[in-house]
PDB file of all heavy atoms in Angstrom:
ATOM      1  N   HIS A 131     144.638 169.485 153.488  1.00 97.00           N
ATOM      2  CA  HIS A 131     143.652 169.708 154.549  1.00 97.00           C
ATOM      3  C   HIS A 131     143.638 168.439 155.396  1.00 97.00           C
ATOM      4  O   HIS A 131     143.948 167.361 154.911  1.00 97.00           O
ATOM      5  CB  HIS A 131     142.249 169.879 153.953  1.00 97.00           C
ATOM      6  CG  HIS A 131     142.044 171.147 153.179  1.00 97.00           C
ATOM      7  ND1 HIS A 131     141.350 172.216 153.672  1.00 97.00           N
ATOM      8  CD2 HIS A 131     142.427 171.498 151.925  1.00 97.00           C
ATOM      9  CE1 HIS A 131     141.310 173.184 152.767  1.00 97.00           C
ATOM     10  NE2 HIS A 131     141.956 172.781 151.688  1.00 97.00           N
ATOM     11  N   TRP A 133     141.568 165.628 156.226  1.00 94.00           N
ATOM     12  CA  TRP A 133     142.637 164.832 155.682  1.00 94.00           C
ATOM     13  C   TRP A 133     142.303 164.560 154.234  1.00 94.00           C
ATOM     14  O   TRP A 133     141.811 163.502 153.888  1.00 94.00           O
ATOM     15  CB  TRP A 133     142.776 163.523 156.493  1.00 94.00           C
ATOM     16  CG  TRP A 133     143.239 163.807 157.908  1.00 94.00           C
ATOM     17  CD1 TRP A 133     144.526 164.062 158.279  1.00 94.00           C
ATOM     18  CD2 TRP A 133     142.459 163.902 159.096  1.00 94.00           C
ATOM     19  NE1 TRP A 133     144.582 164.293 159.653  1.00 94.00           N
ATOM     20  CE2 TRP A 133     143.318 164.210 160.172  1.00 94.00           C
ATOM     21  CE3 TRP A 133     141.084 163.778 159.367  1.00 94.00           C
ATOM     22  CZ2 TRP A 133     142.881 164.380 161.486  1.00 94.00           C
ATOM     23  CZ3 TRP A 133     140.664 163.949 160.670  1.00 94.00           C
ATOM     24  CH2 TRP A 133     141.565 164.237 161.714  1.00 94.00           C
ATOM     25  N   TRP A 135     143.048 166.341 149.890  1.00 97.00           N
ATOM     26  CA  TRP A 135     143.863 167.231 149.047  1.00 97.00           C
ATOM     27  C   TRP A 135     142.963 168.066 148.147  1.00 97.00           C
ATOM     28  O   TRP A 135     142.168 167.526 147.381  1.00 97.00           O
ATOM     29  CB  TRP A 135     144.788 166.414 148.141  1.00 97.00           C
ATOM     30  CG  TRP A 135     145.599 165.389 148.844  1.00 97.00           C
ATOM     31  CD1 TRP A 135     145.236 164.077 149.066  1.00 97.00           C
ATOM     32  CD2 TRP A 135     146.907 165.540 149.415  1.00 97.00           C
ATOM     33  NE1 TRP A 135     146.239 163.426 149.734  1.00 97.00           N
ATOM     34  CE2 TRP A 135     147.289 164.302 149.960  1.00 97.00           C
ATOM     35  CE3 TRP A 135     147.806 166.603 149.496  1.00 97.00           C
ATOM     36  CZ2 TRP A 135     148.508 164.082 150.594  1.00 97.00           C
ATOM     37  CZ3 TRP A 135     149.019 166.397 150.123  1.00 97.00           C
ATOM     38  CH2 TRP A 135     149.361 165.150 150.668  1.00 97.00           C
ATOM     39  N   ILE A 171     150.921 170.848 159.217  1.00 97.00           N
ATOM     40  CA  ILE A 171     151.923 170.459 158.226  1.00 97.00           C
ATOM     41  C   ILE A 171     151.582 169.086 157.649  1.00 97.00           C
ATOM     42  O   ILE A 171     151.277 168.144 158.385  1.00 97.00           O
ATOM     43  CB  ILE A 171     153.337 170.438 158.854  1.00 97.00           C
ATOM     44  CG1 ILE A 171     153.698 171.826 159.386  1.00 97.00           C
ATOM     45  CG2 ILE A 171     154.371 169.973 157.836  1.00 97.00           C
ATOM     46  CD1 ILE A 171     155.051 171.878 160.077  1.00 97.00           C
ATOM     47  N   HIS A 172     151.567 168.987 156.341  1.00 98.00           N
ATOM     48  CA  HIS A 172     151.396 167.721 155.638  1.00 98.00           C
ATOM     49  C   HIS A 172     152.633 167.518 154.763  1.00 98.00           C
ATOM     50  O   HIS A 172     153.468 168.422 154.644  1.00 98.00           O
ATOM     51  CB  HIS A 172     150.153 167.749 154.740  1.00 98.00           C
ATOM     52  CG  HIS A 172     148.881 168.076 155.460  1.00 98.00           C
ATOM     53  ND1 HIS A 172     148.073 167.118 156.036  1.00 98.00           N
ATOM     54  CD2 HIS A 172     148.260 169.262 155.696  1.00 98.00           C
ATOM     55  CE1 HIS A 172     147.030 167.701 156.596  1.00 98.00           C
ATOM     56  NE2 HIS A 172     147.112 169.004 156.408  1.00 98.00           N
ATOM     57  N   SER A 173     152.736 166.373 154.115  1.00 98.00           N
ATOM     58  CA  SER A 173     153.843 166.168 153.182  1.00 98.00           C
ATOM     59  C   SER A 173     153.323 165.445 151.942  1.00 98.00           C
ATOM     60  O   SER A 173     152.587 164.476 152.039  1.00 98.00           O
ATOM     61  CB  SER A 173     154.960 165.372 153.849  1.00 98.00           C
ATOM     62  OG  SER A 173     156.026 165.203 152.938  1.00 98.00           O
ATOM     63  N   CYS A 207     150.213 161.188 152.131  1.00 97.00           N
ATOM     64  CA  CYS A 207     150.727 162.223 153.019  1.00 97.00           C
ATOM     65  C   CYS A 207     151.839 161.574 153.831  1.00 97.00           C
ATOM     66  O   CYS A 207     151.672 160.494 154.380  1.00 97.00           O
ATOM     67  CB  CYS A 207     149.631 162.757 153.929  1.00 97.00           C
ATOM     68  SG  CYS A 207     150.245 164.019 155.053  1.00 97.00           S
ATOM     69  N   ALA A 208     152.999 162.216 153.887  1.00 96.00           N
ATOM     70  CA  ALA A 208     154.158 161.593 154.510  1.00 96.00           C
ATOM     71  C   ALA A 208     154.604 162.318 155.779  1.00 96.00           C
ATOM     72  O   ALA A 208     155.751 162.212 156.199  1.00 96.00           O
ATOM     73  CB  ALA A 208     155.303 161.522 153.499  1.00 96.00           C
ATOM     74  N   GLU A 209     153.702 163.095 156.362  1.00 96.00           N
ATOM     75  CA  GLU A 209     154.027 163.780 157.620  1.00 96.00           C
ATOM     76  C   GLU A 209     152.826 163.585 158.528  1.00 96.00           C
ATOM     77  O   GLU A 209     151.696 163.910 158.133  1.00 96.00           O
ATOM     78  CB  GLU A 209     154.241 165.281 157.331  1.00 96.00           C
ATOM     79  CG  GLU A 209     154.495 166.131 158.538  1.00 96.00           C
ATOM     80  CD  GLU A 209     155.976 166.198 158.901  1.00 96.00           C
ATOM     81  OE1 GLU A 209     156.817 166.242 157.983  1.00 96.00           O
ATOM     82  OE2 GLU A 209     156.268 166.195 160.107  1.00 96.00           O
ATOM     83  N   PHE A 210     153.049 163.051 159.734  1.00 97.00           N
ATOM     84  CA  PHE A 210     151.921 162.770 160.607  1.00 97.00           C
ATOM     85  C   PHE A 210     151.114 164.040 160.864  1.00 97.00           C
ATOM     86  O   PHE A 210     151.649 165.046 161.313  1.00 97.00           O
ATOM     87  CB  PHE A 210     152.390 162.171 161.937  1.00 97.00           C
ATOM     88  CG  PHE A 210     151.228 161.834 162.832  1.00 97.00           C
ATOM     89  CD1 PHE A 210     150.418 160.746 162.548  1.00 97.00           C
ATOM     90  CD2 PHE A 210     150.920 162.619 163.927  1.00 97.00           C
ATOM     91  CE1 PHE A 210     149.329 160.446 163.342  1.00 97.00           C
ATOM     92  CE2 PHE A 210     149.824 162.330 164.726  1.00 97.00           C
ATOM     93  CZ  PHE A 210     149.020 161.236 164.432  1.00 97.00           C
ATOM     94  N   CYS A 211     149.815 163.994 160.540  1.00 97.00           N
ATOM     95  CA  CYS A 211     148.998 165.208 160.586  1.00 97.00           C
ATOM     96  C   CYS A 211     147.705 164.994 161.349  1.00 97.00           C
ATOM     97  O   CYS A 211     146.756 165.732 161.173  1.00 97.00           O
ATOM     98  CB  CYS A 211     148.720 165.689 159.160  1.00 97.00           C
ATOM     99  SG  CYS A 211     147.953 164.426 158.130  1.00 97.00           S
ATOM    100  N   GLY A 212     147.664 163.968 162.181  1.00 95.00           N
ATOM    101  CA  GLY A 212     146.459 163.737 162.974  1.00 95.00           C
ATOM    102  C   GLY A 212     145.956 162.316 162.793  1.00 95.00           C
ATOM    103  O   GLY A 212     146.567 161.510 162.094  1.00 95.00           O
ATOM    104  N   HIS A 215     145.828 160.538 159.345  1.00 96.00           N
ATOM    105  CA  HIS A 215     146.987 160.760 158.460  1.00 96.00           C
ATOM    106  C   HIS A 215     147.119 159.619 157.441  1.00 96.00           C
ATOM    107  O   HIS A 215     147.381 159.851 156.255  1.00 96.00           O
ATOM    108  CB  HIS A 215     148.230 160.883 159.335  1.00 96.00           C
ATOM    109  CG  HIS A 215     149.515 160.543 158.676  1.00 96.00           C
ATOM    110  ND1 HIS A 215     150.087 161.348 157.722  1.00 96.00           N
ATOM    111  CD2 HIS A 215     150.333 159.483 158.815  1.00 96.00           C
ATOM    112  CE1 HIS A 215     151.216 160.788 157.318  1.00 96.00           C
ATOM    113  NE2 HIS A 215     151.387 159.655 157.957  1.00 96.00           N
ATOM    114  N   MET A 218     145.046 159.725 154.191  1.00 96.00           N
ATOM    115  CA  MET A 218     145.203 160.932 153.378  1.00 96.00           C
ATOM    116  C   MET A 218     146.034 160.532 152.160  1.00 96.00           C
ATOM    117  O   MET A 218     147.214 160.854 152.055  1.00 96.00           O
ATOM    118  CB  MET A 218     145.891 162.024 154.204  1.00 96.00           C
ATOM    119  CG  MET A 218     145.904 163.365 153.494  1.00 96.00           C
ATOM    120  SD  MET A 218     146.433 164.676 154.592  1.00 96.00           S
ATOM    121  CE  MET A 218     146.649 165.987 153.387  1.00 96.00           C
TER     122      MET A 218
HETATM  123 CU1  LIG B  14     148.365 164.986 156.011  1.00 56.35          CU
HETATM  124 CU2  LIG B  14     149.650 163.334 157.136  1.00 56.35          CU
END
Side-chain angles (χ1 to χ4, degrees):
H131 291 256
W133 293 280
W135 309 91
I171 300 177
H172 304 271
S173 181
C207 179
E209 176 88 38
F210 182 73
C211 56
H215 155 71
M218 188 169 169

